[in-house]
Amino acid sequence: MHRQISNYLMDKISSGAWPPGMRLAPQRELCRQFGVNRSTVVTALGQLSALGLIEGRRGGGTRVAEVQAAADEAVSSPDPARTDLLPVPSAGSWNAYVEEGVHYPNLPTVQDINRLEYEQGLIRLGTGEPAPELLPGSAMTRVLAELSRQTLPPLSYEEPLGSPGLRSAVSRELAKNGIQADPDSILITSGALQGLQLIAVGLLPRGSTILLEKPSYLYSIHAFQSAGVKFSGLPMDEQGLQMDGLAREARRSKAAMLYSIPSFHNPTGVLMNAKRRQELMEVTGQLGLPILEDGAYQELWLDTPPPPPLKALDREGRVLHLGTLSKAASPGLRIGWIVGPEPVVRRLADIKMQTDYGASSLSQLAAARWLEGGYHEEHLQHLRARLRKRRDAVLDLLQRHFTGLAAWNVPAGGFYIWLSLDKPVPLRTLFRTAHKAGLLLNTGDLYDRGDNRHLRLSYVYASPAELELGLPLLAGLIRKLQQPGV
């Protein structure tokens, strides 16, 4: 077995798939990947080390050795097995490019989550997307069947702002929430995340600062930091972003923009009330401070509709509004939009054209039909009922297994429950321990670097049976980590 692993690793190195300087996965991860014990992995790595193909670095793990050094070592080796697979010496190293690109890598935990979400058998307790059984597969099949009978597929590029038909459909959908937006004020994006990236590189100068709630989803991605934009976090309470200190911090930091998720905030699930929204508009209006409103969860209310979006209160064109179909209808459709003043959306459209030349024409056609045909509203009614049932089931499980261990909010919509542990725990350790036990977590330090006592729980992905199994298991792991001396 160790020879098979050794040969597999050498093939990776010799083909260039693993370039010089690349860090190998930790031994425990290699054991998991290959399904073997540690001694087998150690033996395989020892063979590569003897050939000079890998090298250990203090504090830097095990990396692929520089090519020339590996070749010299292998030639002088008394048993240079597989020297036929050694790479040709090269003057450059891709590792330097990987580490020095202008776009920051994801946080290590986020990278782990992105990889582990596709691992079979894990119970995903923090995933921010609907479970496959909550997605409207049969309804979307009807949409596609209708389109196949009615029109030729659009195989060309769309306009820079996106399909006129989809923008008109989005305009009518926005009007239901009080947002009056002409189609020329709407830019179709490849999901709301692309909207954030376009705004980061297209509207904000390097070194500028944006205000945002803390914790915040933006801390878990690097769209703004990679563009040289800094964050200044503001505290929240159960009514949303606190107004005390907002004006003072905006002036101190010379903030260029404020980012907010007023409806069913990610990760806390908090709903900003109507009074707080009005105060926010008034304070930022006095400051002349633009707002970036993330409305990804606006329509996913469970009890009563939320207050109107900030964009619906905007009479000065200060609010950019992000929307998406990913949270309710289809993450894979990759359809989102930005609503704002026409010069702004044209600027962002120009950058988008330089990036990908527009969202998928086929996806835009399907999304337009989805909205125009009434499918979306019908699906939302069913989805809200099912999410309400799941939320209540999770709240019951928390009451049974986390009483005396943590506190939590009762979300009125969206996807998340913000679990606040009574005692802090090392969240990275909890993440690894939970993974070994078959659980995949979204820990609070992803959304606030200094956090050591929160978890983002999602009731939309794991099945009811998985939640019945996973949440009591999680409670036991937390109790164990909180014991003295652990």
Side-chain angles (χ1 to χ4, degrees):
M1 182 66 74
H2 71 265
R3 291 192 186 94
Q4 294 179 48
I5 295 173
S6 178
N7 287 341
Y8 171 81
L9 298 177
M10 281 197 285
D11 286 339
K12 286 287 188 180
I13 295 171
S14 66
S15 69
W18 290 4
M22 189 192 108
R23 181 184 297 180
L24 274 63
Q27 290 182 7
R28 64 174 180 276
E29 175 60 22
L30 292 175
C31 292
R32 186 195 65 79
Q33 291 178 9
F34 294 119
V36 298
N37 59 36
R38 186 170 180 271
S39 62
T40 303
V41 167
V42 169
T43 302
L45 295 178
Q47 291 182 338
L48 269 66
S49 180
L51 289 171
L53 294 177
I54 61 175
E55 57 186 5
R57 298 183 183 178
R58 185 182 299 275
T62 301
R63 295 177 182 263
V64 177
E66 295 300 325
V67 179
Q68 186 61 58
D72 292 343
E73 179 68 23
V75 169
S76 63
S77 171
D79 183 22
R82 298 296 302 275
T83 54
D84 58 304
L85 295 177
L86 288 173
V88 177
S90 170
S93 169
W94 279 114
N95 190 62
Y97 294 93
V98 169
E99 293 183 350
E100 296 181 14
V102 296
H103 201 292
Y104 296 169
N106 266 324
L107 298 171
T109 302
V110 173
Q111 293 185 42
D112 289 342
I113 291 171
N114 290 338
R115 172 176 50 82
L116 294 171
E117 281 185 332
Y118 299 95
E119 183 177 297
Q120 296 296 316
L122 282 181
I123 298 176
R124 294 160 59 173
L125 293 180
T127 296
E129 67 179 87
E133 63 268 21
L134 295 177
L135 297 175
S138 59
M140 193 63 72
T141 298
R142 294 199 303 272
V143 166
L144 297 176
E146 290 176 10
L147 292 173
S148 69
R149 293 191 299 266
Q150 294 174 4
T151 183
L152 293 174
L155 301 180
S156 302
Y157 296 120
E158 293 287 357
E159 298 179 12
L161 290 178
S163 158
L166 178 54
R167 287 186 284 120
S168 294
V170 170
S171 176
R172 289 188 288 271
E173 197 68 24
L174 290 168
K176 298 177 183 178
N177 288 317
I179 297 176
Q180 302 302 317
D182 186 271
D184 289 339
S185 297
I186 299 171
L187 168 64
I188 302 301
T189 61
S190 299
L193 178 57
Q194 188 187 46
L196 293 172
Q197 294 168 330
L198 293 174
I199 290 166
V201 301
L203 300 182
L204 298 172
R206 294 189 68 85
S208 60
T209 298
I210 63 172
L211 307 180
L212 73 168
E213 296 121 340
K214 192 172 185 180
S216 175
Y217 161 71
L218 279 197
Y219 284 102
S220 70
I221 62 173
H222 286 149
F224 285 88
Q225 298 97 317
S226 296
V229 177
K230 296 176 288 187
F231 290 161
S232 179
L234 298 171
M236 302 176 65
D237 58 24
E238 64 277 5
Q239 303 301 335
L241 183 66
Q242 295 183 18
M243 293 296 102
D244 296 343
L246 188 156
R248 180 173 60 255
E249 180 59 22
R251 293 189 181 99
R252 186 201 67 79
S253 64
K254 298 180 181 178
M257 184 179 289
L258 181 142
Y259 170 82
S260 177
I261 309 176
S263 292
F264 318 122
H265 177 264
N266 181 8
T268 66
V270 166
L271 174 64
M272 187 184 295
N273 63 21
K275 182 175 182 292
R276 189 70 60 85
R277 295 180 190 224
Q278 190 61 51
E279 291 176 356
L280 179 60
M281 292 300 294
E282 291 173 359
V283 172
T284 55
Q286 294 167 4
L287 294 168
L289 184 65
I291 297 175
L292 174 54
E293 177 184 32
D294 193 333
Y297 305 92
Q298 174 76 27
E299 57 192 3
L300 293 173
W301 50 270
L302 303 183
D303 301 317
T304 57
L310 300 176
K311 185 61 180 174
L313 308 177
D314 181 22
R315 298 295 177 266
E316 303 169 299
R318 286 191 299 109
V319 179
L320 295 180
H321 179 86
L322 293 178
T324 182
L325 289 181
S326 295
K327 300 303 179 184
S330 171
L333 204 60
R334 306 310 304 137
I335 292 295
W337 50 84
I338 303 172
V339 183
E342 291 184 21
V344 176
V345 298
R346 285 199 300 268
R347 161 65 171 159
L348 299 177
D350 176 64
I351 299 173
K352 179 172 171 57
M353 292 297 284
Q354 298 178 56
T355 303
D356 65 4
Y357 228 74
S360 164
S361 300
L362 291 170
S363 289
Q364 292 185 70
L365 180 66
R369 180 60 184 162
W370 174 257
L371 295 174
E372 292 169 345
Y375 292 98
H376 190 60
E377 189 57 44
E378 180 182 357
H379 170 63
L380 282 175
Q381 293 178 13
H382 293 297
L383 181 62
R384 290 181 187 123
R386 298 176 72 180
L387 291 184
R388 190 181 304 117
K389 185 176 181 180
R390 282 174 172 246
R391 177 202 61 182
D392 293 345
V394 170
L395 291 173
D396 180 65
L397 287 168
L398 291 177
Q399 188 67 36
R400 282 191 274 147
H401 299 288
F402 284 81
T403 297
L405 184 64
W408 55 88
N409 62 319
V410 178
F415 288 174
Y416 310 116
I417 294 173
W418 192 232
L419 192 70
S420 179
L421 304 179
D422 292 344
K423 298 178 182 178
V425 297
L427 292 180
R428 185 63 182 169
T429 300
L430 176 60
F431 179 89
R432 291 195 297 265
T433 303
H435 174 227
K436 291 179 181 178
L439 306 178
L440 186 57
L441 305 180
N442 283 58
T443 50
D445 53 344
L446 301 180
Y447 314 103
D448 178 355
R449 298 290 186 270
D451 192 359
N452 61 1
R453 61 194 312 155
H454 289 94
L455 296 173
R456 187 186 82 174
L457 296 182
S458 167
Y459 45 85
V460 301
Y461 193 87
S463 69
E466 288 177 327
L467 292 167
E468 284 272 2
L469 176 65
L471 287 175
L473 178 57
L474 174 61
L477 296 176
I478 293 171
R479 286 192 173 93
K480 186 174 181 180
L481 283 176
Q482 289 181 340
Q483 292 175 1
V486 175

